[in-house]
Amino acid sequence: MKQQRQKRLIVNADDFGRHPLIDRAVAECVERGCLRSATLMPGGKAFGDAVETALAHPALGVGIHFTLVNGYPVLPPEEIPSLVTEDGVFYDDYIHFVKRFLAGRVVMEEVRRELAAQAAKMAKTGLSLTHVDSHQHMHVLPGIFTAVLDAAEAIHIDAVRIPRTPLFAGTSGSLGQLVGRAGLAALALLAGQEARRRGFRTSDHFAGIVAGEAVSESHLRHIIETLKPGVTEVMMHPGTDTAILKKACRWEHDFEAERDAILSEDIAALLAEKQVEVINFRELE
């Protein structure tokens, strides 16, 4: 009889390095909660603070949160004109970026050079990098995904997020959100096939709210109670002060709810009860 695979969980904090209050939450969640993984934004305003936080917390596996929207480039803006606004920052709206991409107004050579620069900046931190993903899942776009894997391979990273998002995640189920989730799922399927062809490691399953809702304690409990055998990655965005972070990030998101879910003693007890092993991408088979 074939032995059933163990249930393993990766809780990943996205947007590490975006703001000091996010970095502070990551530190708390490693020290007192079930967080063992985070992805760092190479162009984040709190990049240096995040690197110091990561170096002080060796239990934390750190990956690259490649950024092409809603953030800051690593290269000088004049070198990547198709990727930035007149203010020299990435376009804030991923829908606007996708429209430009589909219309052929995004120069792929600029994408490749920016991704390579982001990877090179991360490689210089001294951190043992575990995996790659991207801000707002832009890495799964066809062509861009290939460039992301190339940038990862160049600095010897062989693990990548495949955001196979559940179609009916969260409490909001508008037609637009359902269409968006269906589109992301289709892109993730293609990305997963390419990742496997090239020998990249991925989690078996993916969870987390992709339409802006927080992964509350009750939702995290549901994820753990319904875990499938293998490795499940849960995407989260913890922070220590929602009011400040909403203004700073221009995002209506409950950062504190996700931090509190990760720090919950009830969640810790449930993980122990269900014998779920909490890992990061370094331990991914």
Side-chain angles (χ1 to χ4, degrees):
M1 182 180 295
K2 187 176 180 180
Q3 187 175 6
Q4 189 180 49
R5 297 175 67 192
Q6 183 181 1
K7 295 177 181 179
R8 309 170 85 196
L9 184 70
I10 298 175
V11 178
N12 191 86
D14 286 27
D15 295 359
F16 192 30
R18 190 177 191 184
H19 194 282
L21 294 180
I22 293 174
D23 300 347
R24 185 183 303 171
V26 168
E28 291 178 357
C29 290
V30 177
E31 293 166 4
R32 301 191 289 113
C34 60
L35 186 72
R36 296 294 180 271
S37 182
T39 34
L40 204 165
M41 299 179 86
K45 292 297 186 182
F47 178 85
D49 178 72
V51 171
E52 290 182 6
T53 298
L55 290 172
H57 295 83
L60 182 69
V62 178
I64 305 175
H65 201 49
F66 281 120
T67 307
L68 293 172
V69 297
N70 188 230
Y72 305 93
V74 169
L75 288 177
E78 59 270 19
E79 294 185 16
I80 47 169
S82 76
L83 304 183
V84 296
T85 68
E86 293 180 354
D87 296 324
V89 300
F90 291 132
Y91 288 93
D92 199 50
D93 185 349
Y94 75 91
I95 296 176
H96 186 71
F97 176 85
V98 171
K99 287 180 178 179
R100 287 175 55 83
F101 177 76
L102 295 176
R105 298 174 63 190
V106 171
V107 178
M108 279 303 302
E109 180 55 30
E110 293 179 13
V111 171
R112 286 185 170 276
R113 286 193 283 111
E114 173 61 25
L115 293 176
Q118 292 185 21
K121 182 177 180 179
M122 289 290 298
K124 293 176 181 177
T125 61
L127 295 169
S128 178
L129 302 173
T130 57
H131 68 296
V132 299
D133 57 32
S134 71
H135 194 44
Q136 300 187 10
H137 302 308
M138 291 297 95
H139 72 296
V140 296
L141 288 171
I144 290 180
F145 189 72
T146 301
V148 162
L149 297 189
D150 290 344
E153 279 187 335
I155 58 170
H156 310 294
I157 296 176
D158 68 348
V160 61
R161 168 186 288 169
I162 303 298
R164 307 176 188 88
T165 175
L167 188 59
F168 298 99
T171 60
S172 178
S174 69
L175 178 60
Q177 289 180 346
L178 291 176
V179 170
R181 290 171 189 158
L184 179 60
L187 292 174
L189 177 63
L190 295 174
Q193 292 171 350
E194 182 174 351
R196 286 190 293 276
R197 282 198 305 269
R198 293 183 57 170
F200 274 75
R201 296 170 298 131
T202 69
S203 66
D204 301 292
H205 316 288
F206 180 79
I209 310 302
V210 297
E213 295 180 52
V215 178
S216 63
E217 182 175 340
S218 62
H219 188 73
L220 184 56
R221 171 175 286 276
H222 173 74
I223 290 171
I224 295 168
E225 289 177 338
T226 57
L227 276 182
K228 298 176 182 178
V231 179
T232 299
E233 181 194 2
V234 183
M235 175 188 70
M236 300 185 73
H237 297 80
T240 61
D241 192 316
T242 292
I244 292 176
L245 287 172
K246 278 184 177 181
K247 293 179 181 178
C249 301
R250 300 189 301 279
W251 183 26
E252 286 297 318
H253 182 73
D254 194 340
F255 298 86
E256 289 179 67
E258 297 207 341
R259 179 202 62 180
D260 293 347
I262 294 170
L263 293 176
S264 168
E265 293 182 0
D266 289 341
I267 290 295
L270 180 63
L271 289 167
E273 175 191 336
K274 299 291 185 180
Q275 297 183 320
V276 175
E277 183 183 8
V278 179
I279 65 171
N280 60 45
F281 276 85
R282 187 180 295 113
E283 301 158 279
L284 188 66
E285 296 176 355

